[in-house]
Amino acid sequence: MPDLKINFCGIEFKNPVFTASGTYGFGREFNALYPISLLGGISCKGTTLAPREGNPPPRIAETPSGILNSVGLQNPGVEHFINEDLPWLLEQKTGIIVNIAGSTVEEYCEMAERLSETAVDIIELNISCPNVKHGGAAFGTSCASVTEITGEVKKHCTKPLMVKLSPNVTSIADIAKSAEAAGADALSLINTIMAMRIDIETRRPILKNNKGGLSGPAVLPVAIRMVNEVANAVNLPIMGMGGISDWRDALEMLLAGASAVQVGTILFNDPLAPIKIIDGLNRYLKSHGIARVSELTGAVQLW
Ligand code: SIN
């Protein structure tokens, strides 16, 4: 049997397939369909210091091959996560990534400190949410602010710190280098691409927030390109995401330079997608005589 295990930030995960933040809640609903212990792990819904209601609706719009969202970080807050969701998640024996978001550097630091006292595996620093007025992507779109927030949060974090990058920048490789220099242990990319749709009858944007973030199969080639650029620019492990729908997409992401993948928007069509992806990767490794999935990371041969 090929070896699907990966070592990511010094932690062993049973395979490289994770679910992406904001598409899987805290895993409970999906666990009714299959044991979430089959996954490498899950990245929980973006969590803030205080509970948030999110943005007013409509905040989801379908697009050709994708979804536009402006959810606005609706979540029950970090204390609720620690007291109500984490104990259940720990029983499920799956990898646990907590995606944290905030309006100020201090909020991020407080959450990192609080979560460092728990048994979560990785803290994912979400500095790329495009749907909030304060914080979010504002921290992730300049090298100076990425350096500042990564460095500050790192001081309060004893867990591996994985910085989630925004694609809405001129050079994602430069942003990645800033995160690396400031002490990031890993990177995840890409968050959603800023986008907009307009209702031609009302002549109003479909989303109440006017704009939102595009995800789904439409963004896969952008994500593959960005993961490859970042992999060539830094020496950090990468979780690649953006439009992965099947095992072939996941494989492309690994070849581009990711050590693991996160699967998101496809879950709204096919909740079993991550399980099928694990299965497909296993079959590919077997049929190609490849002993370990980790051999695929960065194996693309550029012309
Ligand atoms: C949201 O809740 O608005 C999406 C989160 C994100 O893009 O990071």
Side-chain angles (χ1 to χ4, degrees):
M1 284 293 278
D3 188 359
L4 278 182
K5 287 195 295 298
I6 58 156
N7 185 304
F8 194 91
C9 291
I11 303 169
E12 187 174 281
F13 295 99
K14 48 179 91 79
N15 63 62
V17 181
F18 291 68
T19 53
S21 175
T23 61
Y24 208 71
F26 298 100
R28 286 182 204 267
E29 296 79 5
F30 292 84
N31 200 57
L33 302 175
Y34 52 86
I36 63 170
S37 60
L38 295 175
L39 305 172
I42 85 170
S43 176
C44 301
K45 172 63 190 159
T47 297
T48 50
L49 199 52
R52 283 177 63 97
E53 295 276 315
N55 292 332
R59 53 190 199 179
I60 296 276
E62 285 200 49
T63 67
S65 291
I67 287 185
L68 210 52
N69 95 80
S70 66
V71 170
L73 294 171
Q74 179 182 352
N75 80 94
V78 72
E79 285 308 317
H80 184 279
F81 169 75
I82 291 172
N83 296 325
E84 306 295 328
D85 297 301
L86 185 56
W88 178 83
L89 267 174
L90 289 168
E91 282 170 16
Q92 310 313 314
K93 307 277 178 252
T94 196
I96 304 172
I97 301 173
V98 188
N99 179 294
I100 61 168
S103 309
T104 63
V105 174
E106 291 71 28
E107 283 179 14
Y108 280 96
C109 291
E110 199 173 329
M111 275 188 287
E113 207 163 284
R114 192 70 190 83
L115 288 162
S116 289
E117 296 161 1
T118 72
V120 306
D121 292 306
I122 293 176
I123 295 179
E124 185 173 47
L125 186 68
N126 184 351
I127 49 171
S128 45
C129 173
N131 303 326
V132 285
K133 287 202 171 63
H134 305 287
F139 287 117
T141 43
S142 90
C143 291
S145 55
V146 170
T147 301
E148 191 206 340
I149 193 164
T150 307
E152 283 304 311
V153 175
K154 186 70 186 165
K155 290 183 202 156
H156 296 262
C157 186
T158 56
K159 300 285 178 182
L161 184 64
M162 178 165 78
V163 180
K164 184 166 181 177
L165 304 184
S166 170
N168 305 304
V169 294
T170 311
S171 167
I172 197 161
D174 286 346
I175 299 280
K177 283 193 240 175
S178 300
E180 181 179 44
D185 298 296
L187 301 173
S188 57
L189 60 142
I190 58 173
N191 205 322
T192 53
I193 299 177
M194 285 288 280
M196 183 179 188
R197 296 297 309 269
I198 296 171
D199 181 322
I200 56 171
E201 296 303 330
T202 62
R203 300 186 179 186
R204 283 191 181 273
I206 294 175
L207 299 179
K208 192 76 178 214
N209 198 42
N210 295 322
K211 293 175 286 186
L214 180 67
S215 61
V219 311
L220 178 75
V222 178
I224 299 285
R225 189 264 295 176
M226 290 193 162
V227 165
N228 188 245
E229 281 181 4
V230 168
N232 290 332
V234 299
N235 281 313
L236 294 177
I238 296 171
M239 277 202 190
M241 80 198 82
I244 294 174
S245 302
D246 62 23
W247 66 268
R248 291 178 184 82
D249 299 341
L251 188 55
E252 251 189 82
M253 194 58 96
L254 298 175
L255 293 172
S259 300
V261 299
Q262 291 186 10
V263 178
T265 301
I266 188 63
L267 291 161
F268 298 114
N269 283 349
D270 182 4
L272 294 174
I275 305 303
K276 294 178 186 169
I277 290 173
I278 295 165
D279 221 49
L281 289 176
N282 204 21
R283 281 185 279 109
Y284 175 89
L285 292 175
K286 240 191 261 180
S287 64
H288 288 71
I290 300 168
R292 280 171 295 277
V293 72
S294 54
E295 291 172 40
L296 297 170
T297 295
V300 62
Q301 294 176 6
L302 298 180
W303 297 105

